[in-house]
Structure formats: structure tokens, C-alpha cells
């Protein structure tokens, strides 16, 4: 299991060896550091993919003239005071270990140091290509501003999101629409990349004129379904850019080995060739900021059920959510509790339980594969109990904080009927 340590980056003061689970949820108020942690995890995952695709650090890092940390800052817009002299990051993944401003790791043939950055490539692990997707809180702008695919600027997470959205949306055509959860409404992309919703009565409306909830939900669902279902079900090859980069590396290494100009690892060469002929991503790693954005509580519930139902944990998919919403946590708790109860029951009792037609049934998940964290004083606090279910005390605290003022006022309220 990958892990991350983050110190003194933006509002994050100290997070030590946080294990990145199959499903990770970061809860807390605005500005507490949820997105900062999610962005760093996503970037380190992407960096690991890029190094792994090369099969070695040699050429990949020889082409690298700047620092990874500068790429992280500009790509995810972690600028204007997020980093200081005492900021530090340590990412331990399946294929690489990356350290910034940390204690130096042992040097070796697979280790490259760039001033205060070190990358170590794990040559004993077979690389599996993953689709890394970051779905930002700002996602609804792609549904209200036309012709965004023409947007050109320095490459960053927003521009990549726009490009990914246009790639995904074009797979949802009039005869292959995207269902928007339980709403009965379906989305498809029409001519000239226009976005359309088909209502239950068959009427068609422009997504630009729809409610803010559908404008936020549509790109989230479209990109998620495309990333965890569409890329695999349709046997989509790697992008042209990925294939070209791999072919260039492979041919140069093979020529170097043929001419005996340098030592070339035959296993690395074989791994590279396997990547080139591979037609599918091996897994998806997705980060979603504020999935609850503009959604009614029951829609938030349905969205959580859909996300968990669609993940392929056996394949190695990973999902990270940042949220302000207790309804997201309630829905997640239903899915974890359903799994625990189902694993305990037998015979008639189990049949009776399953006959209840619980909405979460197809989304049940082993609580051991879920980590839920609350931000507290610049760090993280796990809010799961010994069974890995979200603690009742946590929900009670939220409700108490919300209702204390009401019940205090109620003590002084005089009911008009009682007065009469």
C-alpha cells in the first residue's frame, strides 16, 4: 500500500506515513488542507506512472531540466506561500519513492538526486499502467462555457481536466447516453460538442440551461464512468503520445544494446515492450473534489452508491474524495455496514436481510479498504471505530454542533397555543 508524508505545505502541518487505501475520504471545513493532500497524492501517482512507463530513470530524468516540486506547484496551482523552507514530502509507492526535503535515502544505481529531491525506482516490481484522473471542484464550468477545447495555456490540472472531459463526452452519443443516477435524465454530446439532456418525457434541453446540480454532476459522472468503465470495456489503446514516447525509448535502448555502447537491462527492455503492446490501462486512480457540490442529499447518496458500485477493486482501482458533507459519510457508512452484516449472516436470516432490497446492496465494500479522515489542527484524525465504521460519536458531534443553538432558543420559546 502506498503512503505519503506531508509537512508544512499550505494549511497542512504534519501528516506522517498516511497509508493510501482503495477508498480514501478527507473530511473537514474549507481551507483545512483536504485539496492540498489530494493534489499531492494525485501528482505523486502521476509522477510514478511517468517514471514506471520508461522502465528506468535514465532517459526520463535526463530530459528533466527542472524540479518535480516546481511541476507540482504549477500543475496544481499550489503557489503563493504554499511551500516554505521547512516544507517536506515523502511518497512511497509501488514503483518509486520520492522525497523532497526529507532525510536522504540510500543512493544506488536506481536512485537520482536533484538537490533537495530524490527519486528511487523499484526495479523489482512489474509496472502496470494506470489512468490517473483529477476531477476538480471547478468542474461545472465545462458545462456552461462553450468551445473550451480551444482553451490554450500552460499545461495544468484545469487544462488537463478540460481535455479529458472532451475526450470522455464524445463517447456519450445519442444512441449511447449517460444516465444521471436515479433522476431519469440522460446526457449525450451532440454535433459541434454541444451538451444535451433528455428528460423522462423525452424532451431535450441544453445542459447550459439546466440546474447547477446537473451541470456539476454531469462532468463528474461522465469522466468517472469513462475512466473506470469506458476505457476498459471498449479495449481502448494508449494515447498516441504515450505510444510514441515508449517506442522512442525502446528503440534507443535496443540499439544501444545491439551496439554494446552501454549496459542495458534486458528485463527493463522486456517490460518496456510489454507496455507498448498493451492495449488497456491496468487500473484507474481517481481524485474527486467535493462530489456533493450543488446536489440534494439523496442525490449525494445515490452518487456514493454509484461510485463504489463501479469501482473495480480487484483490478486495483483507487478513489480519493474530499468533502464537506456528512451525507457523503452517511452513504459510505451504509455501504460498509451492509458488507459487515452480509458477511455475518447465514441461512434464512441472510435471505431475509437481502430481501429488503437495500439501495446500497450493489455498493457494499469491505471497511478495511476504506479510510476516512478528518482534518484537525493541520493534521489528520481517523474517525472510524474498531470495525472501521464511521463512529456514531462523530455524527452525534456534527448534529450537536448544528442543533445546540436551536434547542437553547427552544427553552425560551413560548408556544402561542399554550399561551391561549
Amino acid at each position: 500500500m502506498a503512503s505519503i508524508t506531508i509537512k508544512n505545505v499550505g494549511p497542512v502541518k504534519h501528516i506522517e506515513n498516511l497509508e493510501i487505501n482503495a477508498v480514501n475520504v478527507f473530511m473537514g471545513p474549507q481551507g483545512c488542507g483536504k485539496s492540498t493532500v489530494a493534489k499531492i497524492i494525485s501528482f505523486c501517482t502521476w509522477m510514478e506512472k511517468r517514471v514506471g512507463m520508461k522502465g528506468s530513470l535514465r532517459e526520463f530524468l535526463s530530459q528533466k531540466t527542472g524540479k518535480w516540486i516546481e511541476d507540482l506547484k504549477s500543475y496544481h496551482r499550489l503557489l503563493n506561500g504554499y511551500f516554505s523552507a521547512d516544507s517536506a514530502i515523502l511518497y512511497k509507492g509501488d514503483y518509486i519513492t520520492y522525497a523532497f526535503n526529507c532525510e536522504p535515502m540510500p543512493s544506488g544505481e536506481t536512485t537520482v538526486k536533484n538537490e533537495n529531491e530524490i527519486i528511487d525506482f523499484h526495479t523489482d516490481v512489474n509496472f502496470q499502467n494506470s489512468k490517473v484522473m483529477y476531477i476538480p471542484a471547478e468542474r461545472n464550468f465545462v458545462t456552461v462555457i462553450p468551445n473550451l477545447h480551444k482553451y490554450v495555456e500552460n499545461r495544468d490540472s484545469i487544462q488537463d481536466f478540460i481535455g479529458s472531459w472532451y475526450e470522455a463526452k464524445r463517447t456519450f452519443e445519442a444512441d449511447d447516453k449517460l444516465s444521471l443516477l436515479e433522476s431519469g435524465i440522460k446526457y449525450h454530446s451532440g454535433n459541434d460538442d454541444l451538451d444535451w439532456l433528455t428528460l423522462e418525457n423525452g424532451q431535450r434541453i441544453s445542459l447550459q440551461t439546466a440546474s447547477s446540480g446537473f451541470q456539476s454532476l454531469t462532468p463528474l459522472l461522465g469522466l468517472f464512468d469513462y475512466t473506470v468503465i469506458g476505457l476498459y470495456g471498449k479495449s481502448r489503446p494508449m494515447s498516441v503520445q504515450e505510444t510514441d514516447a515508449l517506442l522512442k525509448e525502446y528503440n534507443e535502448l535496443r540499439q544501444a544494446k545491439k551496439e554494446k555502447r552501454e549496459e542495458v537491462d534486458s528485463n527493463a527492455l522486456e517490460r518496456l515492450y510489454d507496455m507498448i503492446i498493451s492495449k488497456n490501462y491496468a487500473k484507474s486512480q481517481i481524485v474527486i473534489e467535493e462530489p456533493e457540490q450543488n446536489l440534494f442529499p439523496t442525490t449525494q447518496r445515490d452518487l456514493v452508491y454509484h461510485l463504489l458500485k463501479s469501482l473495480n477493486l480487484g483490478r486495483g482501482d483507487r478513489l480519493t474524495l474530499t468533502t464537506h458533507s456528512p451525507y457523503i459519510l452517511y452513504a459510505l457508512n451504509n455501504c460498509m455496514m451492509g458488507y459487515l452484516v452480509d458477511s455475518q449472516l447465514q441461512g434464512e436470516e441472510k435471505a431475509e436481510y437481502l430481501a429488503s432490497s437495500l439501495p446500497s446492496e450493489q455498493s457494499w465494500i469491505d471497511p478495511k479498504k476504506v479510510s476516512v479522515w478528518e482534518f484537525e489542527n493541520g493534521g489528520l484524525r481517523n474517525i472510524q471505530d474498531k470495525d472501521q465504521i464511521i463512529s456514531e460519536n462523530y455524527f452525534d458531534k456534527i448534529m450537536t454542533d448544528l442543533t445546540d443553538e436551536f434547542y437553547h432558543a427552544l427553552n425560551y420559546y413560548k408556544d402561542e397555543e399554550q399561551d391561549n
Side-chain angles (χ1 to χ4, degrees):
M1 187 182 295
S3 66
I4 192 135
T5 294
I6 304 172
K7 298 179 182 178
N8 300 311
V9 180
V12 179
K13 301 306 177 187
H14 193 121
I15 295 175
E16 187 79 30
N17 291 325
L18 173 68
E19 292 190 337
I20 306 173
N21 214 338
V23 176
N24 310 274
V25 181
F26 297 113
M27 179 78 176
Q30 58 277 1
C32 66
K34 301 185 301 297
S35 293
T36 301
V37 173
K39 288 173 179 177
I40 293 174
I41 289 174
S42 181
F43 186 84
C44 288
T45 302
W46 174 85
M47 176 169 56
E48 181 173 37
K49 164 186 170 158
R50 299 303 302 173
V51 175
M53 283 180 65
K54 288 292 184 180
S56 73
L57 287 167
R58 185 186 61 82
E59 181 177 337
F60 185 61
L61 293 181
S62 70
Q63 299 171 351
K64 180 80 180 138
T65 57
K67 295 182 178 181
W68 282 110
I69 200 68
E70 297 304 323
D71 291 344
L72 167 61
K73 292 177 185 178
S74 60
Y75 184 79
H76 278 298
R77 305 185 182 192
L78 298 177
L79 306 168
N80 301 323
Y82 268 86
F83 284 82
S84 60
D86 56 354
S87 297
I89 296 173
L90 176 62
Y91 173 76
K92 298 178 180 178
D94 293 327
Y95 313 117
I96 68 166
T97 298
Y98 168 73
F100 167 71
N101 269 357
C102 295
E103 290 297 322
M105 297 180 294
S107 297
E109 294 181 359
T110 61
T111 301
V112 173
K113 183 174 182 180
N114 181 10
E115 295 183 12
N116 54 351
E117 288 184 301
I118 297 176
I119 297 180
D120 183 63
F121 180 52
H122 309 163
T123 57
D124 57 338
V125 180
N126 291 327
F127 174 71
Q128 292 182 313
N129 192 20
S130 63
K131 180 65 174 177
V132 181
M133 179 64 63
Y134 195 95
I135 303 178
E138 302 94 331
R139 58 186 168 270
N140 61 341
F141 77 96
V142 299
T143 60
V144 296
I145 302 175
N147 300 318
L148 269 175
H149 61 292
K150 298 178 181 178
Y151 168 79
V152 177
E153 198 175 282
N154 293 331
R155 182 169 180 242
D156 58 21
S157 59
I158 297 298
Q159 185 178 351
D160 274 0
F161 168 69
I162 294 171
S164 296
W165 165 240
Y166 272 83
E167 179 181 339
K169 67 182 279 186
R170 290 166 182 166
T171 66
F172 300 108
E173 301 173 338
D175 57 350
D176 189 18
K177 296 182 177 70
L178 170 70
S179 294
L180 301 184
L181 301 178
E182 306 302 318
S183 66
I185 297 175
K186 296 184 178 182
Y187 162 82
H188 79 274
S189 178
N191 296 331
D192 299 323
D193 285 321
L194 297 177
D195 300 311
W196 297 100
L197 297 182
T198 302
L199 308 183
E200 287 186 283
N201 61 8
Q203 180 183 355
R204 194 176 73 165
I205 65 170
S206 168
L207 181 57
Q208 286 183 288
T209 64
S211 70
S212 61
F214 287 120
Q215 290 174 350
S216 179
L217 178 64
T218 301
L220 189 164
L221 273 181
L223 269 170
F224 181 84
D225 280 18
Y226 177 67
T227 303
V228 302
I229 300 173
L231 289 178
Y232 303 91
K234 297 179 181 178
S235 189
R236 176 189 179 275
M238 291 182 293
S239 69
V240 173
Q241 293 86 350
E242 288 175 332
T243 303
D244 286 348
L246 288 170
L247 278 172
K248 181 177 183 292
E249 169 81 358
Y250 176 76
N251 289 330
E252 290 184 359
L253 285 176
R254 188 177 65 172
Q255 187 66 23
K257 184 175 183 179
K258 182 179 178 180
E259 297 175 0
K260 297 183 178 179
R261 288 188 281 108
E262 59 180 281
E263 290 293 326
V264 177
D265 186 344
S266 296
N267 291 330
L269 202 60
E270 184 178 343
R271 286 198 302 270
L272 204 54
Y273 181 73
D274 288 342
M275 276 299 306
I276 294 169
I277 64 174
S278 171
K279 289 189 176 181
N280 288 317
Y281 289 104
K283 56 188 174 182
S284 297
Q285 304 191 63
I286 306 170
V287 174
I288 304 175
E289 284 189 304
E290 301 175 25
E292 71 273 9
Q293 187 173 259
N294 301 326
L295 301 182
F296 193 69
T298 54
T299 308
Q300 295 182 39
R301 174 202 63 195
D302 294 342
L303 176 59
V304 171
Y305 292 172
H306 179 80
L307 297 180
L308 295 182
K309 178 179 68 175
S310 303
L311 284 176
N312 188 334
L313 299 182
R315 184 173 62 204
D317 287 354
R318 189 172 75 198
L319 175 65
T320 299
L321 305 176
T322 71
T323 184
H324 304 118
S325 173
Y327 300 110
I328 296 291
L329 301 189
Y330 280 120
L332 181 60
N333 237 18
N334 289 345
C335 297
M336 293 191 291
M337 181 60 77
Y339 177 93
L340 290 180
V341 173
D342 181 60
S343 63
Q344 292 177 346
L345 298 179
Q346 294 180 351
E348 293 183 3
E349 192 175 21
K350 184 170 186 174
E352 180 182 350
Y353 177 65
L354 295 178
S356 305
S357 299
L358 298 169
S360 66
E361 183 176 350
Q362 300 301 314
S363 310
W364 291 345
I365 185 172
D366 185 348
K368 293 179 182 178
K369 297 182 178 180
V370 179
S371 296
V372 187
W373 302 92
E374 180 184 35
F375 275 82
E376 186 176 72
N377 300 322
L380 290 175
R381 180 176 70 90
N382 185 266
I383 57 174
Q384 292 162 277
D385 62 21
K386 60 182 178 61
D387 295 318
Q388 295 298 102
I389 298 296
I390 301 172
S391 169
E392 289 184 9
N393 291 335
Y394 180 76
F395 289 117
D396 290 344
K397 178 179 179 298
I398 291 177
M399 292 305 298
T400 299
D401 290 345
L402 290 173
T403 58
D404 271 355
E405 184 177 350
F406 173 81
Y407 286 114
H408 177 71
L410 193 61
N411 291 328
Y412 296 89
Y413 176 68
K414 296 181 180 180
D415 190 292
E416 292 182 1
E417 292 183 2
Q418 291 179 350
D419 291 343
N420 293 332

